[in-house]
């Protein structure tokens, strides 16, 4: 109720007339999070779904329903936005999808409660389960590839935060060219509709190889069938 109320306040403040670019609202965890809620309800969900993301999907589905019901009221027509979306950060302890393999060997949601609504975007940030200096098909990336495929099996709209630098030594030549050559086609096949690759922020650390990589990623994001070498 509280989250929905705050979103509604935001929608009334940033109106469609003054802020037409306002397309979705995102709920995230802190970047420094190392521990998560240990209440009985969250622990029960963690045991049931094997991931904190189960609780997040259930929460965000309910928040989205409340906000959309509010938006549908005639007195709120001036604040109504078509195709407005909601988004949560599948990051750190939330990377893993609440899925299980069915009898046909396909990934499926553990139950209907953790199937994301069509307007719920999964913002997947694979920081712990990907080695970006190796191909996405390298055995070292088997877990990360599987996570992408699991989310793709239950979510219709996924955004992806990727990494393409060494955060401890950002001027370092970080060779993730092969990774991005193959990764974007895998993302596109698993309902990823938007992607961001963090490449460093300090201008003094943006050397020519980083500029080349940003250019290459831009091309591959638009057309994942391109060959990076060419």
């Amino acid at each position: 109720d509280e989250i929905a109320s705050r979103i509604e306040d935001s929608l009334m403040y940033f109106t469609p007339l003054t802020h037409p670019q306002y397309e979705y609202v995102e709920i995230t965890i802190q970047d420094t999070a190392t521990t998560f809620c240990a209440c009985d309800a969250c622990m029960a969900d963690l045991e049931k779904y094997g991931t904190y993301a189960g609780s997040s999907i259930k929460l965000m589905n309910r928040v989205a329903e409340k906000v959309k019901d509010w938006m549908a009221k005639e007195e709120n027509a001036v604040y109504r936005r078509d195709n407005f979306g909601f988004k949560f950060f599948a990051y750190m302890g939330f990377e893993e999808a609440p899925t299980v393999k069915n009898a046909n060997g396909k990934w499926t949601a553990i139950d209907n409660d953790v199937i994301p609504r069509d307007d719920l975007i999964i913002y997947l940030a694979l920081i712990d389960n990907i080695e970006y200096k190796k191909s996405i098909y390298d055995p070292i990336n088997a877990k990360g590839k599987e996570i992408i495929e699991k989310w793709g099996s239950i979510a219709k709209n996924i955004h992806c935060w990727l990494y393409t630098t060494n955060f401890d030594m950002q001027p370092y030549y970080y060779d993730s060219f092969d990774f991005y050559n193959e990764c974007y086609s895998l993302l596109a096949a698993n309902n990823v509709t938007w992607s961001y690759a963090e490449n460093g922020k300090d201008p003094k650390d943006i050397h020519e190889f980083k500029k080349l990589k940003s250019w290459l990623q831009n091309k591959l994001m638009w057309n994942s069938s391109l060959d990076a070498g060419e």
Side-chain angles (χ1 to χ4, degrees):
D1 289 344
E2 180 65 21
I3 294 172
S5 176
R6 288 175 182 246
I7 293 171
E8 291 156 14
D9 286 345
S10 175
L11 289 167
M12 287 188 286
Y13 186 83
F14 301 104
T15 69
L17 182 63
T18 60
H19 292 77
Q21 74 275 24
Y22 187 3
E23 297 178 352
Y24 56 81
V25 63
E26 179 183 345
I27 305 298
T28 71
I29 63 172
Q30 290 183 319
D31 199 33
T32 55
T34 55
T35 58
F36 309 104
C37 184
C39 75
D40 290 345
C42 283
M43 290 298 95
D45 269 4
L46 180 60
E47 182 176 359
K48 182 175 183 178
Y49 299 115
T51 170
Y52 290 103
S55 293
S56 290
I57 293 172
K58 290 163 69 176
L59 170 68
M60 293 305 296
N61 278 345
R62 290 168 62 191
V63 167
E65 181 181 11
K66 287 178 177 291
V67 173
K68 287 295 180 74
D69 286 347
W70 172 88
M71 203 182 291
K73 294 178 180 178
E74 193 56 39
E75 63 264 32
N76 297 323
V78 68
Y79 310 120
R80 196 172 297 151
R81 293 174 183 272
D82 295 331
N83 303 316
F84 187 74
F86 304 82
K87 187 171 174 178
F88 93 89
F89 213 19
Y91 179 53
M92 294 188 178
F94 301 80
E95 286 186 9
E96 186 68 63
T99 54
V100 65
K101 279 191 174 178
N102 62 22
N104 297 322
K106 303 292 185 180
W107 294 112
T108 186
I110 291 176
D111 61 33
N112 290 336
D113 289 340
V114 290
I115 297 175
R117 290 167 51 107
D118 288 353
D119 55 5
L120 178 57
I121 302 164
I122 308 302
Y123 196 5
L124 179 60
L126 285 167
I127 194 168
D128 292 330
N129 290 290
I130 287 286
E131 170 53 73
Y132 289 91
K133 291 186 287 184
K134 297 287 187 179
S135 165
I136 188 64
Y137 296 102
D138 189 283
I140 199 172
N141 282 327
K143 180 65 174 177
K145 178 176 175 289
E146 180 180 89
I147 289 174
I148 293 168
E149 293 169 340
K150 284 179 176 180
W151 281 116
S153 71
I154 65 170
K156 292 187 176 180
N157 196 351
I158 302 171
H159 291 181
C160 210
W161 185 320
L162 306 170
Y163 301 89
T164 183
T165 193
N166 181 325
F167 293 101
D168 294 323
M169 184 182 289
Q170 294 204 31
Y172 167 71
Y173 171 64
Y174 190 82
D175 188 358
S176 53
F177 286 89
D178 285 343
F179 175 84
Y180 287 100
N181 184 33
E182 298 173 313
C183 181
Y184 285 120
S185 57
L186 175 71
L187 297 180
N190 284 279
N191 299 329
V192 174
T193 59
W194 180 94
S195 180
Y196 164 66
E198 188 169 356
N199 198 20
K201 299 179 177 69
D202 192 327
K204 73 175 184 297
D205 295 333
I206 307 299
H207 49 67
E208 299 307 313
F209 282 111
K210 283 193 174 185
K211 293 177 185 177
L212 175 61
K213 196 182 299 180
S214 291
W215 177 86
L216 176 65
Q217 290 161 347
N218 180 274
K219 297 294 184 182
L220 292 170
M221 285 179 193
W222 281 109
N223 182 357
S224 61
S225 69
L226 295 175
D227 180 83
E230 291 182 7

